[in-house]
Amino acid sequence: MNRIVFLLGVFLSFLAFPAGAAILTADDVVALRAIPASSGPGNQVLLVSYVSGKGKGGGILYWDASATVADDNCLVFMPTGGGTGRWRRQVSLTGGLSDEACGVVDDGTTDDTVAIQRALALFTTGRTATVSGLLYHCGTSLITKPLIYGGSPTAGFVYQGCVGQARGLGGAQFVWGGTGFPAMFYFYGANQALIRDINFNPGASGNGLIEDVVVTADNGTNTTLAAAVTAGNAVTASVGAASNITIGRFIGVGSPSTGDFEIVQVLGVSGTAITANFQFNHASGEQVGGSAGSSGAGLQNVAGYPPTEAHTILSTGITAGGNVVITPAAMTNITVGMPIALGGVNATILPETVYVKSVTAGSFTADVRYNHSAGETITTATAFILTGNETAFGTDQVSETDFSDIGAYCQSSDYAGMRFIQAGNVKNHNIDKLVSSGCNFMLAFEGSSGMVRVARAIGSSTVADFMFSGTANFEVNSFETEDTVGSRLMIGVVPTAGSVVFNGGQWDGVAPADDTVIKYAGALSLRGMIISDFRNATSVPRIEIVQLFDPVHDRPGSIFSTGNYFQHATNFTPVFYQSGNPINYRQYPINSVGIPNLFSFGDYGDNGNLQPVFGQMAAMWAAPTIDGLSSGVVLGRIGQLQRTVSSVTIPYTAFQTGATTINLTALGIPPNMRVVGALANITTAFAGPAGTLNLRVGTTSGGQELLLDGDVKTAPIVLGDADAELGTCLARATAVQGGCTLPSLAAGSMFVRLTSGSGNLSGLTAGSVSLSLVLERLF
């Protein structure tokens, strides 16, 4: 074959070149560099293959006689003898270049790490982008060290796969074969950079990985190494300053010019010494930290799955603190430097991530922020895509990320498909068309600010589809998830709650024993959703308010629910407060810091529409409690704008007694309320006994603390539309502060007395009264 190519080149040389010029051939780059400089003038070289026998990375190179630029092993090759003149590829980076031009073999067994990083170096030093453009990747590449793209200040880099497949791991991909708990690919301070149509495979077991792709920045730290570092695991390195360096933090280390630049994750800090796993040796004085912010980086039509490592539970409870000894049920695969997700399923709402600092036969140590109970879960805090910088500072900005057509597939209840870490200036993310399965969380936002938009998410999760924590405004548009036993739709942590809006979506799953599918602490809006709980034939999917008051924003929590279907729900939208306490007409969960607001309209359950609720939940105390009557009472509508109207309808049968007078307890009144209005609508006049029938309504038994008084026998009448029918605290001429204040502001009741002027009340044959109180809350 080489002979044919050579003869064809000779023939073409007669057509295209002046006398004496020729197309030379080289089987590989070693042979290319062996061509002496004296052969260059007037000639071109047909490079058959970058690596001999692989058939990839070849092409036509021309001789640049005056060039003295460095040999980059991709586009520029210097003859072995050195001197002036270079063999060069005639390509445009903006037009696109295959990474095979830098020696990538793409056969799935050859280690392509160095060759891929060499290709990336055409566009970036690892800290700073040098040019925008398009880099192609085809086939399957084995890598054993992290790949790094640093993208500031130049923007517009795209790493493009030849064949993408977000619904599985086919097409162009990277396969991990390394160790040391890094990630496969880092966007480091990257601006407007994109990976498209390339998948990430952690390999048979994913050993040595924490995540697949990390989008990060460390511009809050900028120092240098105070002494040389030798590569290895859990190596101690001295730095000039460690004021902004904490455990778990990603930090860039090294000089791109010497080819040893890498990103390490800090395992420990002591004074100005840090501990980390290092892939390269480093000299004293090399830079530590100092990236730019990362803005606009993302992935498109990309699939992958987190590595599987540790899954166990906590054997004993622990108290928050530094260097806490943690005893799990099993220590399998728990290694120094590993990020562990602790809790989040049983006692706590949100798991926290801790980093393993040391390991013994049956325990490990870590710095822990929260108390935890025995039985809580322990799992490796891995993710397919991780965004942010653990324990970072406000200047470490990672923002405006963009992810679309993402396939995040977990193998064995791994932590998350996509994970956003809780520290630093991490904000403003767009996630479109996400498919995830088998993960604890489809999306885990441990913290974010600004705006987060999620659209067209499909998945199944084992703990919750969405973990939304932080002060961000989260918006989820159109989703469909079918979760495993014991999972929820969404959880959120106290106290840093923002807002969550769900616009259209369907959750089908088997909720935990408390039947709660949403646990949240901030402002929650649900519109046009279908929420089903298949735990048993009567399970109602419930919403639990984690806190009644938001101290971050100094405001009550709130729920807006309209047009949603709650399977098996009857009467009201199934909203609860902590540990299953129902927020409904019979139980009012007041606390010392605030009352949440609930607006529910147009929601429905299996038996049709649920009753609407407007405004503060204080309105939901008043329930009919007619003494000794189990039927015949019709609950009136309860609504609130600025005031609360509580109503009850009582038929004549409730007043039938062998005496001439009866006292009934008619309506409960919440605490801290006052009565500002009262009406009794006698739609059907009372009849039966001879003589008069007088109705009195008051706030104490027997109708004392009078509200209403009047004749209810002569004809249908409305009591309360004239001053003469009102008690002194309601009549316009005598009312104090516009209403009746209950004694000691305690919870009270409305009482009704019916008195016959002649004959006992057992002879009642007709009559009905609808009583209404207008209540106002006292602040």
Side-chain angles (χ1 to χ4, degrees):
M1 176 63 70
N2 290 346
R3 182 184 302 274
I4 295 173
V5 171
F6 174 74
L7 293 175
L8 176 62
V10 172
F11 172 73
L12 292 174
S13 69
F14 285 108
L15 299 178
F17 299 98
I23 293 183
L24 309 176
T25 60
D27 283 343
D28 53 30
V29 294
V30 175
L32 172 66
R33 290 194 179 92
I35 298 175
S38 59
S39 300
N43 294 324
Q44 291 187 337
V45 172
L46 173 62
L47 178 63
V48 177
S49 177
Y50 193 101
V51 177
S52 180
K54 298 297 184 180
K56 298 180 179 180
I60 298 291
L61 289 84
Y62 70 97
W63 177 254
D64 186 346
S66 61
T68 58
V69 297
D71 186 333
D72 62 16
N73 293 306
C74 292
L75 306 182
V76 180
F77 299 88
M78 181 177 66
T80 304
T84 302
R86 301 288 188 268
W87 293 108
R88 309 187 72 156
R89 296 185 190 268
Q90 191 168 359
V91 297
S92 168
L93 294 181
T94 56
L97 173 73
S98 171
D99 57 14
E100 294 175 353
C102 299
V104 175
V105 175
D106 289 325
D107 61 5
T109 57
T110 302
D111 187 350
D112 282 333
T113 308
V114 173
I116 295 173
Q117 194 63 57
R118 183 187 299 145
L120 290 169
L122 297 176
F123 303 85
T124 174
T125 65
R127 290 186 182 274
T128 303
T130 55
V131 66
S132 60
L134 179 63
L135 181 65
Y136 288 102
H137 176 76
C138 299
T140 298
S141 282
L142 177 70
I143 61 173
T144 55
K145 288 183 173 63
L147 305 174
I148 303 170
Y149 174 82
S152 181
T154 300
F157 168 71
V158 177
Y159 204 171
Q160 172 71 59
C162 294
V163 180
Q165 186 177 331
R167 300 300 182 266
L169 291 183
Q173 60 180 297
F174 298 132
V175 178
W176 179 251
T179 59
F181 298 103
M184 294 175 68
F185 194 102
Y186 290 94
F187 275 126
Y188 178 69
N191 287 278
Q192 305 302 317
L194 180 68
I195 295 177
R196 187 165 56 205
D197 299 324
I198 302 175
N199 292 334
F200 291 81
N201 188 336
S205 62
N207 288 334
L209 276 183
I210 54 168
E211 277 85 23
D212 293 349
V213 180
V214 172
V215 183
T216 190
D218 67 352
N219 43 308
T221 295
N222 197 346
T223 185
T224 58
L225 289 173
V229 172
T230 301
N233 292 334
V235 173
T236 299
S238 297
V239 295
S243 57
N244 283 359
I245 301 177
T246 51
I247 189 170
R249 183 176 175 80
F250 295 109
I251 298 181
V253 178
S255 169
S257 62
T258 59
D260 62 359
F261 178 69
E262 62 180 312
I263 296 175
V264 301
Q265 193 159 30
V266 178
L267 309 180
V269 181
S270 178
T272 57
I274 65 173
T275 303
N277 297 333
F278 288 91
Q279 302 279 339
F280 301 106
N281 297 332
H282 297 280
S284 176
E286 289 188 7
Q287 186 175 348
V288 176
S291 75
S294 187
S295 177
L299 290 85
Q300 184 179 90
N301 200 31
V302 171
Y305 53 86
T308 297
E309 291 292 348
H311 295 282
T312 182
I313 61 172
L314 189 62
S315 294
T316 59
I318 56 175
T319 302
N323 295 313
V324 175
V325 177
I326 300 172
T327 305
M331 285 290 295
T332 305
N333 291 336
I334 295 178
T335 309
V336 171
M338 174 181 289
I340 293 290
L342 181 59
V345 177
N346 298 321
T348 59
I349 300 298
L350 175 72
E352 65 169 305
T353 299
V354 301
Y355 290 86
V356 179
K357 300 172 72 173
S358 63
V359 172
T360 63
S363 64
F364 64 92
T365 61
D367 296 335
V368 181
R369 294 188 294 271
Y370 306 112
N371 297 336
H372 294 275
S373 304
E376 292 188 31
T377 58
I378 295 175
T379 185
T380 312
T382 55
F384 168 39
I385 302 170
L386 182 146
T387 300
N389 200 339
E390 184 72 50
T391 64
F393 293 82
T395 54
D396 292 316
Q397 179 170 331
V398 181
S399 63
E400 284 72 55
T401 60
D402 198 341
F403 304 95
S404 63
D405 286 287
I406 302 298
Y409 307 105
C410 294
Q411 303 174 81
S412 178
S413 295
D414 294 321
Y415 180 73
M418 298 180 67
R419 177 180 174 223
F420 294 75
I421 316 181
Q422 62 259 39
N425 190 14
V426 181
K427 62 183 182 181
N428 299 342
H429 312 286
N430 183 66
I431 302 165
D432 188 18
K433 290 187 288 186
L434 169 65
V435 176
S436 177
S437 62
C439 306
N440 288 346
F441 303 97
M442 179 167 62
L443 276 176
F445 277 88
E446 297 174 14
S448 186
S449 60
M451 176 277 298
V452 175
R453 176 184 173 273
V454 182
R456 294 180 288 181
I458 301 173
S460 62
S461 306
T462 60
V463 175
D465 295 312
F466 304 100
M467 178 203 297
F468 286 151
S469 297
T471 58
N473 297 307
F474 297 93
E475 179 183 350
V476 180
N477 295 302
S478 185
F479 72 92
E480 181 183 3
T481 55
E482 298 177 356
D483 287 349
T484 58
V485 175
S487 186
R488 309 186 196 274
L489 169 58
M490 188 263 285
I491 64 173
V493 71
V494 174
T496 55
S499 68
V500 175
V501 176
F502 283 100
N503 291 313
Q506 181 168 344
W507 186 86
D508 292 333
V510 178
D514 60 9
D515 289 319
T516 301
V517 299
I518 294 178
K519 288 175 174 274
Y520 194 57
L524 177 64
S525 178
L526 309 174
R527 294 182 289 198
M529 296 172 60
I530 298 174
I531 304 178
S532 302
D533 178 8
F534 299 112
R535 191 174 68 84
N536 59 47
T538 59
S539 292
V540 177
R542 311 194 310 181
I543 302 168
E544 181 176 312
I545 300 175
V546 179
Q547 61 180 2
L548 293 179
F549 192 79
D550 178 1
V552 175
H553 300 98
D554 191 29
R555 67 192 181 196
S558 65
I559 294 180
F560 176 93
S561 179
T562 181
N564 303 295
Y565 167 73
F566 294 91
Q567 183 191 38
H568 301 147
T570 58
N571 206 4
F572 301 103
T573 300
V575 176
F576 291 73
Y577 168 64
Q578 290 184 350
S579 303
N581 296 319
I583 297 176
N584 61 22
Y585 283 82
R586 297 186 180 278
Q587 186 170 357
Y588 172 60
I590 191 169
N591 70 0
S592 60
V593 293
I595 302 172
N597 288 293
L598 171 64
F599 178 98
S600 171
F601 187 82
D603 290 335
Y604 60 104
D606 289 354
N607 297 321
N609 289 342
L610 304 177
Q611 294 194 38
V613 179
F614 303 91
Q616 289 184 332
M617 293 180 186
M620 302 177 67
W621 175 276
T625 54
I626 304 302
D627 293 344
L629 185 68
S630 61
S631 63
V633 179
V634 179
L635 177 65
R637 176 177 176 178
I638 291 182
Q640 176 184 345
L641 295 176
Q642 293 181 341
R643 292 177 174 179
T644 299
V645 178
S646 296
S647 303
V648 64
T649 299
I650 308 175
Y652 72 93
T653 53
F655 294 100
Q656 290 175 330
T657 181
T660 58
T661 298
I662 186 171
N663 297 313
L664 297 178
T665 302
L667 275 176
I669 301 174
N672 298 337
M673 305 291 287
R674 66 180 176 183
V675 182
V676 296
L679 286 173
N681 186 5
I682 292 79
T683 55
T684 302
F686 284 76
T692 61
L693 287 172
N694 179 260
L695 185 76
R696 293 171 62 92
V697 179
T699 58
T700 60
S701 181
Q704 305 304 311
E705 299 291 333
L706 187 64
L707 302 178
L708 296 171
D709 188 4
D711 174 29
V712 295
K713 182 177 180 181
T714 305
I717 189 174
V718 175
L719 299 180
D721 58 356
D723 273 0
E725 299 163 349
L726 295 172
T728 56
C729 62
L730 292 181
R732 287 169 295 179
T734 56
V736 178
Q737 295 186 359
C740 301
T741 302
L742 300 182
S744 303
L745 296 180
S749 299
M750 180 172 71
F751 298 89
V752 178
R753 168 180 282 188
L754 185 64
T755 301
S756 170
S758 176
N760 63 50
L761 296 173
S762 61
L764 285 172
T765 58
S768 177
V769 57
S770 294
L771 303 176
S772 296
L773 288 187
V774 181
L775 304 175
E776 183 175 77
R777 184 183 177 198
L778 293 177
F779 291 92

